[in-house]
Amino acid sequence: MEAGPRDREQQASNDLSRLSPDGPDETGDLLPDGSVPDASVEVEVELRPPRRLRIWQLAPIVGLAAVGSLMFAFPLAFGSGDGGAVVAMLGLLISCCAAGWGMMAARRVGTTWPGLPERSSGERPDWRVIALYVAVAVALVALAVWRVARLR
């Protein structure tokens, strides 16, 4: 059955009866069971959308990483003469710059490395996790330098 004009008028008069001259009455905030909500409970709602890396932020980082990786890999794989070590080290430098740029961009949007606390949490990072990250980085750099040194 469709609502006629009388139903709309009756509904509008019911809505107007709840209004006071300065806005809705206090009774409008009742819960469905008729009880008054607890005013001491505060609900925090984040109004801003979560920050994410956009494509225009990721594209140059990925491009630099790809170019640096190729510059590092080709001289090592094919042994291209006297300048191979220089090109490989330049490629390693470009790759490390892209990795650092990516880490700074990720930190700016609020992401952290696995095992480390969030930026504003106030917690201290575990020294074992940091030691593991440093050991892996040192091992990778040592292997890369050793491989480039073998080109000479």
Side-chain angles (χ1 to χ4, degrees):
M1 187 171 166
E2 278 188 54
R6 291 184 198 159
D7 293 335
R8 284 191 217 129
E9 290 173 10
Q10 186 178 12
Q11 185 180 8
S13 66
N14 286 342
D15 289 342
L16 292 176
S17 65
R18 285 190 23 218
L19 295 177
S20 65
D22 59 346
D25 290 337
E26 296 295 324
T27 59
D29 294 334
L30 293 179
L31 294 176
D33 63 353
S35 62
V36 178
D38 188 10
S40 65
V41 176
E42 293 183 14
V43 178
E44 292 185 22
V45 178
E46 183 65 39
L47 297 177
R48 293 178 292 178
R51 294 168 57 176
R52 291 180 284 157
L53 285 173
R54 304 282 190 243
I55 189 69
W56 59 269
Q57 292 170 313
L58 286 175
I61 297 169
V62 171
L64 266 182
V67 167
S69 298
L70 291 174
M71 285 177 68
F72 180 66
F74 273 104
L76 297 178
F78 302 115
S80 59
D82 294 337
V86 174
V87 172
M89 286 305 285
L90 183 61
L92 182 63
L93 178 67
I94 292 173
S95 296
C96 290
C97 289
W101 191 4
M103 287 189 312
M104 289 295 108
R107 181 181 167 112
R108 186 166 287 222
V109 297
T111 57
T112 61
W113 286 65
L116 296 178
E118 290 186 24
R119 190 174 181 185
S120 61
S121 68
E123 297 178 28
R124 294 182 58 103
D126 188 12
W127 65 270
R128 293 174 291 218
V129 175
I130 294 175
L132 177 67
Y133 283 134
V134 168
V136 167
V138 166
L140 289 175
V141 168
L143 286 172
V145 170
W146 175 66
R147 179 63 178 120
V148 169
R150 285 189 47 196
L151 284 177
R152 293 192 164 243

